[in-house]
Amino acid sequence: MYTLRDVTKRYTRGKKTVHALAGVDLTIEDGGRLVIQGPTGGGKSTLLQMLGGLDRPTSGSVELDGVDLAKLSEARLTTVRAQNIGFVFQSFNLIPTLTAQENVETALVPLGGKAAERRRRAAEALDSVGLGERLGHLPGEMSGGQQQRVAIARALVKQPKVLLADEPTGNLDESMRDEVMEVLETMWKEHGLTFIMVTHDSAIARRAPRLATIRKGKVTITENAAA
Ligand SMILES: Nc1ncnc2c1ncn2[C@@H]1O[C@H](COP(=O)(O)OP(=O)(O)OP(=O)(O)O)[C@@H](O)[C@H]1O
Ligand SMILES: [Mg+2]
């Protein structure tokens, strides 16, 4: 479970200071799903970076299961990320010279273990996102939707507690968007993940049972019991 208390993030460039997060209090239950929306520059990606331990807040605490990510050493933070947190970004961030299977395996390298075991788990993860037939394909040989499914397999192969997605369908056309959303929903349900997703898609936001809207670094939560 996430507990954020009075989280702020300031960026300073020369004389100008941006308050990207201006005092965020938020709890996210294990296995919960939170959709984040809001205007550009509102702080959505910044919040996701705090949740993922990719960056530290200027002040406040970001607890994951009682451990404050803001206070962890760089080495401990790297371990927490490698074990517990999967990321999916708008740009798929696959390595173009590696096959689908090799791309997925990269997520397991920091966890140690045998190469054969990594290959087996990567194949299994790709199979679970419907790409069992594409293990040997390079990113350039796949559609955008397929590439994003490889990225989802890479995020989930380590069986993380948390999946963070920053506009995962932002670079996709409508049909591929549905395909990727379906995979994400299935993974959330099947794996009991805590799933936090930034989206600009108002249809997705409308359907969200719990919606966080961020404007000027402030979060407002809307619960939608009907969704
Ligand atoms: N590394 C950085 N250095 C300086 N300012 C930054 C940095 N990262 C973000 N900002 C600023 O912080 C604010 C919040 O940015 P953030 O990327 O979180 O917005 P966002 O809601 O994700 O926007 P978008 O919808 O465009 O992705 C913006 O004003 C942005 O310019
Ligand atoms: Mg963003």
Side-chain angles (χ1 to χ4, degrees), residues 66-112:
V67 176
D68 187 358
L69 303 184
K71 291 206 177 73
L72 287 186
S73 69
E74 215 37 65
R76 285 283 306 137
L77 204 51
T78 303
T79 309
V80 168
R81 276 199 308 264
Q83 291 175 342
N84 298 320
I85 304 173
F87 293 94
V88 178
F89 299 97
Q90 178 172 357
S91 52
F92 320 125
N93 294 357
L94 300 175
I95 300 173
T97 53
L98 298 183
T99 65
Q101 189 171 18
E102 290 163 347
N103 266 287
V104 174
E105 282 175 46
T106 60
L108 296 174
V109 171
L111 303 176

Side-chain angles (χ1 to χ4, degrees), residues 199-225:
T199 185
H200 274 127
D201 188 330
S202 50
I204 293 173
R206 264 199 308 278
R207 288 203 310 266
R210 193 160 181 249
L211 181 67
T213 305
I214 309 190
R215 285 173 206 283
K216 298 183 178 168
K218 292 268 192 195
V219 170
T220 319
I221 296 281
T222 318
E223 312 271 356
N224 179 2

